[in-house]
Amino acid sequence: MLLRASLRYLLRHPWQLGLSLLGVALGVAVVVAVDLANQSAGRAFALSSEALTGRTSHQVLGGPGGLDEGWYVALRRDHGLRRAAPVVEGYVESVDEPGRVLRVLGVDLFAESAIRPGLGGLVGQVSMAGFMGAQGGVVMLGADLQRLGREPGDALPVRIGGAQRDLHVLGALNPERPLEAQGLRDVLVMDIAAAQELLGRTGRLERVDLILGDPAQERKVRELLPADGQLVTADQRQASLGEMTRAFQLNLTAFSLLALVVGAFLIYNTMTFSVVQRRSLIGMLRAVGVTRREVFALVLAEALVIGAAGTAAGLGLGIAISHVLLELVSRTINDLYFVLSVRELVIAPRSLLIAATLGMGMTVISALAPAREATTTPPRSALSRASLEAAMRRRLPWLALAGAAVIGVGMLLLLSSGGLLMAFGGMFLLIIGSALLVPGLMVLFMRGLGPVMGRLAGLPGRMAARGVEAGLSRTSVATAALMVAVSAVIGVGVMVDSFRSTFSLWLDATLQADVYVSVPNDGSLKPEVVDMLRELDGVRASGTARFTRVAAGDQRYRLRVFDLGGRPEGTFRFAQGGGGRAWEAFADDDAVFVTEPFAHRRDLAPGDILTLQTVRGERRFDVAGVIYDYGSSEGAVVMSRALYERYWDDPVVNSVSLHAVDGVAAEALIARAGAVLAGVQAVRFQSNQDIRRLSLQIFDQTFTITQVLRLLAMLVAVVGVLSALLALALERAREFAVLRAMGLTPMQLWALVTVQNGLVGLVAGLLAIPLGLALAATLILVINQRSFGWSMQVFVPPETLVQAVALAVLAAVIAGLYPAWRMARTPPALALRED
């Protein structure tokens, strides 16, 4: 009988049931989509690394100039280490698909059979004479060739160093193992000599891959290492690369859980209204002998059915959304960390299981309070709506105390020195504590707004304010759900605006030259080009930059080398240290600057010592200052060109900066440089304004995924508010019918309900401002600092707050349009027929 009554109730309220299912589905879908996108990106990275390292156990990495190929020859010939393979790596851009980066992998096929059997198996499949003798001969996956519309024998145009080169397709790779095929996507396999010529690294190697069978071999290789060489395990190098993206992916996961938290409010809403709408029925059932345990089980069973159906739908919806998020995640990784080709979504059972567990678990937890309310209310009180509101008012002081306590615990977690998980835990406690404060704050707001509404709209205005307060047990839940979603909009919006403003100020301080000359894909400028640019008519001062990596123990650090020229003192902004003494040490002593993320990751401060591997052996450098930098979350060491040339034999220059004399515009200087360098080398000219615009463009692209997740969380909240307002309107049907019977017109009733909904949205928006600013401060000062090491100034654009309040009001009014229209059209007699 109880099951039939439950089923009949759910079927009689299809809109409420459908919205509940949609809310659960959206919350679960966001979690699934983010997790699948992260898992797919991680799997693509792992497969790519596995395919390109094969059976490699160790790798010998060179310094900025790479490894001398003669060292590798001696290793095999003189020291008997046969399981070794030389590798040259680089990147080119596809002409057929502009913007797509292809990885060049230069190998010695005869050495590959022991290291990468899939590549070693090319022996016999392609002409060795063609592969080793043809200039620019490549082999790539058959699937990639098909996508590009190419086949063996065709030319493959690519762009490298600003110039177009035609490579020649010698054959197609068709590995037997599907996983290996996935890892070799967008990879051009070339003979090592041809790759050296293409990438401008004649006589140099990127690395040597080794299979070392015992510790004695490892010790032997270490003894033979060149001065700036480094021996690392293959797993260690992959782990260090994967570590770069871990904080980024954890942040995405936290944003997805925010949508699920908003969905939990919706479940609570749904089950609470379900209990309230059947209070009379539950009271009669209790009066005729139905036990509390049976009623409790009934409410939980309904919640489980809704949760299971919503979770199932959310899993399917999440898989669909994840295709969009996968592109955004991979694009962000490419912009910030390293080139990664991700074209296949991996449906990981673990991701689906976690999302299903979270969805069902959140459903059960959210339904516990309504289920308990259904069982603890005496049968006689259950027949009275007044008793419900009276109980709610008695709980207001306790809810306020609980909210304050939860917020206090959250603040303690945020102020502690714990890691990211503790910071996210503190942030979620702030959200929950603020939601507990909503009922008491709503009473204060409505009592303050009552007289104002009365003056503005007369009796209907006062009725609207009092109606919201009279239904506090229901309106407060809808308000809390909307407040949480809008606070997320404010928090993320202020965080992004603050980061963008800080990033813009940093660009203004850093981009002091008028024109920057470089080669695409971090190529090197010819020495004669550097000299010609320095001597160009109209150039007042010039500088150079070199971007590379150097060894430091078992790690590799980014190194930025600058010949700043002119007056360098204003080039960097200091987070720690700085001043004239720091610049003197940077220019004349063995001293370096480190960027803020680098210092954060390695706990460095001015006065500390940093040890780097150079061609002169291991050297210690003083840290003269910590500078602000937002170009990389990995961080970097910054060194003067003079100091670099003292310890490294590397003349490469990646970029030249030109300061124009007064009266010469950047465009005119670019035109002169272009005319002088015509036919010498294809380079890229960018004014400081061009770089600033492109940098901000990339910044906006990077945060696109954050904006998408924010909109999804808002959508969950709007669905929740619609469900709550619809249920509240149905619950008050008899009250509205009485008003109609007393002479209220349908239009006046529609206006009354709409104003009430607008008040709910207004209160939610106003309450979202302090919570949103707290979330923004948490994201900027705690989470971003612990995740990436960036310090940011807090900018709070007033329009962001105004837009958020307007969004809350608009969402509540739109969500309440259908309930208001339905109540206005319901005949009073129909609503009163059971009285």
Side-chain angles (χ1 to χ4, degrees):
M1 181 184 68
L2 289 176
L3 291 176
R4 285 198 300 271
S6 174
L7 180 61
R8 187 176 296 115
Y9 166 78
L10 292 175
L11 294 178
R12 286 181 60 189
H13 298 84
W15 275 97
Q16 190 173 339
L17 176 62
L19 289 170
S20 304
L21 293 174
L22 180 59
V24 178
L26 285 173
V28 171
V30 176
V31 174
V32 170
V34 169
D35 202 36
L36 287 181
N38 282 340
Q39 292 282 336
S40 298
R43 183 176 174 80
F45 169 71
L47 290 175
S48 177
S49 298
E50 180 183 341
L52 297 180
T53 57
R55 298 171 180 170
T56 302
S57 66
H58 293 72
Q59 294 177 328
V60 175
L61 307 174
L67 289 167
D68 188 328
E69 62 182 22
W71 180 86
Y72 161 72
V73 173
L75 188 72
R76 283 183 67 101
R77 184 187 60 199
D78 302 337
H79 300 285
L81 289 173
R82 298 291 182 181
R83 293 192 295 178
V87 175
V88 172
E89 271 191 302
Y91 296 95
V92 296
E93 183 182 352
S94 171
V95 173
D96 294 329
E97 296 179 299
R100 182 178 291 278
V101 176
L102 305 175
R103 177 182 294 194
V104 174
L105 183 68
V107 297
D108 176 0
L109 283 188
F110 294 107
E112 285 297 313
S113 56
I115 305 293
R116 283 171 283 269
L119 296 182
L122 280 174
V123 177
Q125 296 182 29
V126 298
S127 165
M128 287 297 98
F131 187 81
M132 300 176 66
Q135 191 175 27
V138 300
V139 178
M140 65 189 305
L141 279 179
D144 286 342
L145 287 175
Q146 186 177 9
R147 188 187 77 245
L148 294 170
R150 306 284 172 175
E151 58 185 28
D154 289 348
L156 180 68
V158 298
R159 191 170 286 109
I160 179 170
Q164 182 171 319
R165 287 281 301 271
D166 283 337
L167 305 180
H168 305 286
V169 180
L170 301 175
L173 274 171
N174 295 293
E176 295 180 0
R177 296 174 57 214
L179 296 183
E180 194 173 56
Q182 293 179 39
L184 288 171
R185 284 175 175 167
D186 291 341
V187 174
L188 305 177
V189 181
M190 304 183 69
D191 177 66
I192 193 162
Q196 287 173 325
E197 187 277 330
L198 175 68
L199 300 171
R201 299 179 191 171
T202 303
R204 311 301 293 181
L205 304 176
E206 178 80 14
R207 67 176 193 268
V208 174
D209 291 344
L210 302 166
I211 298 178
L212 300 181
D214 55 65
Q217 284 187 322
E218 183 176 339
R219 285 195 299 272
K220 187 174 185 179
V221 172
R222 288 191 185 278
E223 292 171 0
L224 298 172
L225 283 176
D228 60 344
Q230 182 183 32
L231 179 67
V232 298
T233 65
D235 291 341
Q236 180 183 337
R237 188 176 184 218
Q238 292 176 28
S240 64
L241 290 172
E243 181 68 29
M244 294 182 195
T245 63
R246 193 160 297 151
F248 164 69
Q249 292 177 330
L250 181 59
N251 275 286
L252 294 185
T253 301
F255 279 121
S256 72
L257 291 176
L258 182 61
L260 195 61
V261 168
V262 177
F265 281 98
L266 175 56
I267 292 294
Y268 177 80
N269 248 342
T270 300
M271 301 316 302
T272 302
F273 279 118
S274 170
V275 170
V276 168
Q277 288 176 315
R278 290 178 291 172
R279 282 173 67 84
S280 299
L281 175 61
I282 291 173
M284 288 186 285
L285 290 174
R286 291 284 312 284
V288 298
V290 176
T291 65
R292 292 184 176 184
R293 180 175 296 179
E294 289 172 328
V295 174
F296 187 85
L298 177 68
V299 176
L300 277 188
E302 289 180 0
L304 284 172
V305 169
I306 294 174
T311 298
L315 295 178
L317 182 61
I319 292 173
I321 297 174
S322 60
H323 285 88
V324 177
L325 293 188
L326 177 60
E327 181 181 348
L328 296 175
V329 168
S330 58
R331 187 173 70 188
T332 301
I333 290 175
N334 286 334
D335 287 342
L336 293 181
Y337 304 105
F338 44 77
V339 176
L340 182 66
S341 176
V342 190
R343 294 202 303 274
E344 181 175 300
L345 181 71
V346 179
I347 310 299
R350 172 183 165 275
S351 299
L352 301 181
L353 180 61
I354 289 175
T357 303
L358 287 172
M360 294 299 296
M362 196 70 78
T363 299
V364 172
I365 292 172
S366 302
L368 286 176
R372 183 177 179 278
E373 181 181 305
T375 58
T376 55
T377 306
R380 183 174 179 181
S381 298
L383 300 175
S384 167
R385 169 61 194 266
S387 63
L388 176 65
E389 294 302 331
M392 180 65 183
R393 291 179 182 278
R394 286 195 300 271
R395 288 198 293 265
L396 286 180
W398 298 106
L399 288 174
L401 286 174
V406 171
I407 290 175
V409 174
M411 292 297 296
L412 288 176
L413 290 180
L414 291 174
L415 295 175
S416 69
S417 57
L420 271 180
L421 290 177
M422 193 168 288
F424 281 123
M427 185 177 73
F428 280 111
L429 287 180
L430 284 183
I431 293 172
I432 294 170
S434 300
L436 292 173
L437 294 177
V438 166
L441 294 173
M442 281 196 72
V443 171
L444 297 178
F445 267 102
M446 289 305 112
R447 290 181 180 175
L449 286 173
V452 176
M453 295 299 297
R455 285 193 292 271
L456 292 175
L459 180 61
R462 288 194 297 272
M463 288 176 63
R466 290 174 182 171
V468 173
E469 184 182 351
L472 186 64
S473 62
R474 310 304 159 219
T475 55
S476 61
V477 179
T479 305
L482 187 56
M483 175 199 71
V484 169
V486 175
S487 68
V489 172
I490 294 174
V492 176
V494 170
M495 185 267 289
V496 173
D497 287 340
S498 297
F499 199 174
R500 198 178 195 278
S501 299
T502 304
F503 183 64
S504 179
L505 291 174
W506 173 74
L507 286 175
D508 292 340
T510 304
L511 299 174
Q512 294 195 350
D514 297 292
V515 175
Y516 293 84
V517 186
S518 61
V519 179
N521 295 323
D522 293 331
S524 60
L525 291 165
K526 295 179 179 180
E528 60 267 30
V529 168
V530 176
D531 294 337
M532 293 167 71
L533 289 171
R534 286 183 179 276
E535 297 167 3
L536 191 67
D537 184 33
V539 171
R540 172 175 53 84
S542 65
T544 64
R546 169 76 168 117
F547 308 108
T548 185
R549 286 184 178 272
V550 294
D554 292 334
Q555 302 182 57
R556 292 184 72 78
Y557 297 157
R558 284 178 181 264
L559 180 64
R560 300 177 186 169
V561 180
F562 295 105
D563 172 11
L564 296 173
R567 297 173 56 85
E569 288 77 7
T571 306
F572 303 128
R573 294 173 57 235
F574 287 87
Q576 299 177 48
R581 179 69 191 93
W583 278 108
E584 289 176 11
F586 180 77
D588 302 325
D589 301 335
D590 284 5
V592 297
F593 297 149
V594 295
T595 66
E596 191 182 23
F598 188 93
H600 168 76
R601 288 175 179 272
R602 294 161 184 86
D603 196 23
L604 291 173
D608 290 343
I609 300 296
L610 184 66
T611 303
L612 302 177
Q613 200 74 26
T614 77
V615 296
R616 311 282 186 269
E618 201 172 70
R619 289 290 184 270
R620 292 156 60 88
F621 298 90
D622 296 323
V623 176
V626 178
I627 60 176
Y628 289 110
D629 179 84
Y630 304 95
S632 165
S633 63
E634 181 187 358
V637 180
V638 179
M639 182 179 290
S640 71
R641 185 78 199 192
L643 181 60
Y644 181 68
E645 290 179 348
R646 195 183 309 163
Y647 291 107
W648 281 273
D649 299 327
D650 177 31
V652 173
V653 171
N654 298 115
S655 173
V656 171
S657 57
L658 304 176
H659 299 258
V661 299
D662 294 339
V664 176
E667 292 74 15
L669 195 59
I670 289 174
R672 292 179 191 175
V676 170
L677 297 181
V680 180
Q681 184 179 14
V683 298
R684 175 177 56 192
F685 298 99
Q686 292 176 297
S687 68
N688 55 9
Q689 292 302 315
D690 289 336
I691 295 178
R692 189 180 188 280
R693 176 178 51 80
L694 289 172
S695 299
L696 291 174
Q697 218 172 58
I698 292 174
F699 177 92
D700 293 335
Q701 289 175 0
T702 301
F703 279 93
T704 299
I705 187 169
T706 304
Q707 306 287 11
V708 169
L709 292 179
R710 183 172 64 165
L711 290 176
L712 287 173
M714 191 66 204
L715 180 59
V716 175
V718 170
V719 171
V721 172
L722 175 57
S723 174
L725 295 180
L726 176 61
L728 185 61
L730 294 174
E731 182 186 352
R732 300 177 64 190
R734 295 193 184 103
E735 175 188 336
F736 293 147
V738 171
L739 293 175
R740 288 286 311 282
M742 293 174 62
L744 210 65
T745 65
M747 185 57 68
Q748 289 173 324
L749 180 60
W750 184 90
L752 175 64
V753 176
T754 301
V755 170
Q756 287 182 345
N757 297 337
L759 288 176
V760 168
L762 177 63
V763 173
L766 294 175
L767 293 179
I769 290 177
L771 177 58
L773 294 178
L775 293 181
T778 300
L779 291 170
I780 294 170
L781 304 177
V782 180
I783 290 177
N784 267 305
Q785 181 69 34
R786 293 182 186 178
S787 296
F788 308 111
W790 286 319
S791 292
M792 294 185 287
Q793 301 179 39
V794 180
F795 291 89
V796 184
E799 60 270 18
T800 299
L801 305 182
V802 174
Q803 289 170 1
V805 175
L807 177 64
V809 174
L810 184 63
V813 169
I814 291 175
L817 287 178
Y818 173 72
W821 173 81
R822 179 169 175 173
M823 289 301 98
R825 287 178 57 87
T826 302
L830 184 62
L832 292 169
R833 66 182 180 180
E834 295 182 7
D835 281 354

